[in-house]
């Protein structure tokens, strides 16, 4: 279907699509056509059209500490649609209605023979989404109010499920309501990071070989939240998962001891991504956590992380090491930066060297990803494959290189 828009809005939409293509997140001509067709500005009428088509998230429902609902960044929208691979005639469930914009894109992709159901826990959000979908000619998209962790059994099974909020666990309903061979795309949290994972249901197990860095509003409702955090120094917080048993007093003591920084010899260009180092750590190191550091601690020299609020760290007993702020590297051509790790505690230097070993392993194959498999929590140990097991309430996540 086609919606009539003004020429300025069409120009802005074209500019948005070109930006997504240049960012490398648009590999499907069908998704490209959907993005060119659906008038994003009509789903966020409270902001100017220029802002509606900018590559940023737009808050539609403020929350206490963070937005309660928003329109996702267009590049992330396209990335997840690429992972989902919606086809004509598919029956799709979306968890997190937002503005209704994503449901409209899905309606374009599945066509008249397909079905789209979107669900959100906030009644005012679903009211907005329902109205925007009706106004733009996508009223066939079903909008429900409820806890997305329960899915929507009435219209199951689903060929595809896409989740646009960030859960720490995978509720059983998503397993049960996904058809065999169906695909679940979800921005899953584990070991302090969030990645959009494209799972496929195979023999009652969800398996994935593709995950991409992303960030989403944490999911609320009955889905469990398993991440914990505590301050380990002034303006320095450590985040870890509930299955990890840490000696926080020992780690706090480590932060009072001298630090040692080890350099890996691996370099990157400015703005070159190296998030797969963190992904590798989650598949090989049980003590992988996350540091969040306030500017005051950085300025005081207490900590110098690679990124202030999202830096991977390794904890082993009474010691900790974290990915350090990269240093400029000598050499000709484009400016490069060397990656390293900083350790504290009795074994801090050895732990920093261990983290550097993982950096060097990443450098040998920067695109390598582990196989990520999600098994029901009731699965016995002898029913799990080899790999690092992360225990959640409903799920056992197994990562294998």
């Amino acid at each position: 279907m086609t919606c009539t828009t003004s020429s300025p809005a069409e120009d802005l939409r074209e500019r948005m699509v070109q930006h997504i293509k240049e960012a490398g997140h648009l590999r499907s001509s069908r998704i490209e056509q959907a993005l060119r067709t659906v008038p994003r500005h009509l789903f966020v009428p409270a902001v100017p059209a220029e802002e509606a088509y900018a590559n940023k998230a737009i808050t539609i429902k403020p929350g206490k500490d963070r937005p309660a609902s928003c329109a996702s960044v267009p590049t992330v929208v396209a990335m997840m649609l690429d992972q989902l691979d919606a086809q004509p005639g598919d029956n799709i469930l979306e968890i997190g209605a937002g503005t209704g914009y994503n449901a409209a894109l899905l309606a374009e992709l599945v066509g008249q023979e397909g079905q789209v159901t979107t669900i959100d826990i906030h009644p005012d959000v679903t009211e907005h989404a329902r109205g925007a979908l009706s106004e733009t000619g996508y009223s066939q998209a079903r909008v429900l109010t409820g806890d997305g962790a329960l899915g929507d059994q009435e219209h199951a099974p689903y060929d595809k499920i896409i989740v646009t909020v960030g859960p720490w666990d995978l509720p059983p309903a998503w397993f049960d309501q996904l058809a065999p061979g169906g695909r679940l795309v979800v921005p899953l949290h584990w070991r302090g990071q969030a990645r959009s994972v494209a799972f496929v249901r195979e023999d009652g197990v969800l398996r994935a070989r593709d995950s991409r860095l992303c960030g989403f509003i944490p999911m609320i409702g009955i889905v469990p939240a398993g991440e914990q955090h505590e301050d380990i120094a002034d303006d320095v917080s450590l985040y870890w998962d509930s299955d990890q048993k840490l000696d926080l007093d020992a780690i706090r003591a480590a932060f009072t001891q001298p630090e040692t920084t080890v350099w890996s010899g691996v370099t990157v260009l400015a703005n070159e991504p190296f998030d797969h180092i963190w992904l590798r750590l989650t598949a090989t190191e049980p003590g992988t956590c996350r540091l969040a550091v306030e500017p005051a601690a950085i300025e005081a020299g207490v900590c110098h992380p690679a990124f202030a609020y999202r830096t991977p760290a390794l904890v082993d007993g009474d010691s900790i090491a974290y990915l350090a702020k990269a240093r400029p590297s000598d050499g000709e051509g484009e400016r490069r930066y060397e990656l390293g790790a900083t350790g504290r505690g009795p074994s801090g230097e050895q732990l920093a060297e261990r983290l550097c070993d993982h950096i060097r392993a990443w450098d040998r194959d920067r695109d390598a990803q582990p196989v990520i498999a999600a098994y029901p929590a009731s699965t016995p140990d002898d029913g799990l494959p080899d790999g690092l097991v992360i225990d959640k309430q409903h799920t056992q996540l197994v990562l294998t290189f």
Side-chain angles (χ1 to χ4, degrees), residues 178-346:
L178 186 64
R183 184 173 295 236
L184 166 67
V185 174
V186 53
L188 188 63
H189 291 243
W190 75 95
R191 298 304 190 243
Q193 61 163 5
R195 298 188 69 88
S196 180
V197 185
F199 288 106
V200 176
R201 181 177 175 181
E202 300 172 349
D203 301 321
V205 177
L206 297 175
R207 290 189 177 87
R209 290 175 174 80
D210 175 64
S211 72
R212 308 182 197 178
L213 188 67
C214 68
F216 274 85
I217 294 169
M219 188 171 180
I220 63 172
I222 64 170
V223 65
E227 187 177 63
Q228 304 176 52
H229 70 277
E230 292 278 353
D231 289 344
I232 56 173
D234 289 343
D235 298 313
V236 179
S237 296
L238 183 69
Y239 288 72
W240 72 96
D241 286 340
S242 58
D243 66 306
Q244 297 173 298
K245 308 307 176 186
L246 307 183
D247 186 341
L248 292 176
D249 289 337
I251 298 169
R252 290 188 181 103
F255 252 82
T256 67
Q257 300 178 27
E259 66 180 24
T260 301
T261 299
V262 178
W263 297 101
S264 67
V266 175
T267 63
V268 294
L269 295 169
N271 299 319
E272 184 178 1
F274 47 91
D275 58 282
H276 279 196
I277 295 172
W278 197 341
L279 178 60
R280 175 177 287 274
L281 292 176
T282 71
T284 54
E285 290 281 357
T288 300
C289 301
R290 170 168 72 93
L291 278 185
V293 184
E294 296 294 333
I298 297 173
E299 293 169 7
V302 175
C303 194
H304 45 89
F307 305 101
Y309 296 111
R310 304 198 71 83
T311 290
L314 295 182
V315 172
D316 194 344
D318 56 3
S319 300
I320 183 171
Y322 60 86
L323 195 64
K325 182 179 180 180
R327 67 178 183 180
S329 175
D330 295 332
E332 298 180 358
E334 293 184 80
R335 191 64 177 269
R336 302 189 70 87
Y337 296 84
E338 185 178 6
L339 303 179
T342 297
R344 288 179 181 265

Side-chain angles (χ1 to χ4, degrees), residues 75-249:
T75 48
V76 175
V77 170
M79 178 191 78
M80 294 183 70
L81 289 177
D82 179 64
Q83 289 181 298
L84 190 69
D85 192 28
Q87 296 297 314
D90 277 349
N91 182 21
I92 295 183
L93 173 65
E94 179 189 31
I95 309 297
T99 64
Y101 174 66
N102 205 56
L105 293 170
L106 291 168
E108 282 285 342
L109 292 169
V110 303
Q112 294 295 329
E113 301 302 315
Q115 294 186 61
V116 175
T117 302
T118 185
I119 185 169
D120 202 286
I121 200 168
H122 300 290
D124 52 343
V125 170
T126 53
E127 181 180 2
H128 172 95
R130 190 177 294 110
L133 287 163
S134 177
E135 180 184 348
T136 52
Y138 296 98
S139 56
Q140 78 272 30
R142 188 181 296 113
V143 182
L144 305 177
T145 303
D147 193 328
L150 299 175
D152 175 39
Q153 182 61 47
E154 181 179 353
H155 302 99
Y158 299 98
D159 301 298
K160 311 279 169 64
I161 298 177
I162 183 169
V163 185
T164 57
V165 287
W168 179 81
D169 201 357
L170 301 176
W174 299 353
F175 277 84
D176 299 340
Q177 295 175 21
L178 186 64
R183 184 173 295 236
L184 166 67
V185 174
V186 53
L188 188 63
H189 291 243
W190 75 95
R191 298 304 190 243
Q193 61 163 5
R195 298 188 69 88
S196 180
V197 185
F199 288 106
V200 176
R201 181 177 175 181
E202 300 172 349
D203 301 321
V205 177
L206 297 175
R207 290 189 177 87
R209 290 175 174 80
D210 175 64
S211 72
R212 308 182 197 178
L213 188 67
C214 68
F216 274 85
I217 294 169
M219 188 171 180
I220 63 172
I222 64 170
V223 65
E227 187 177 63
Q228 304 176 52
H229 70 277
E230 292 278 353
D231 289 344
I232 56 173
D234 289 343
D235 298 313
V236 179
S237 296
L238 183 69
Y239 288 72
W240 72 96
D241 286 340
S242 58
D243 66 306
Q244 297 173 298
K245 308 307 176 186
L246 307 183
D247 186 341
L248 292 176
D249 289 337

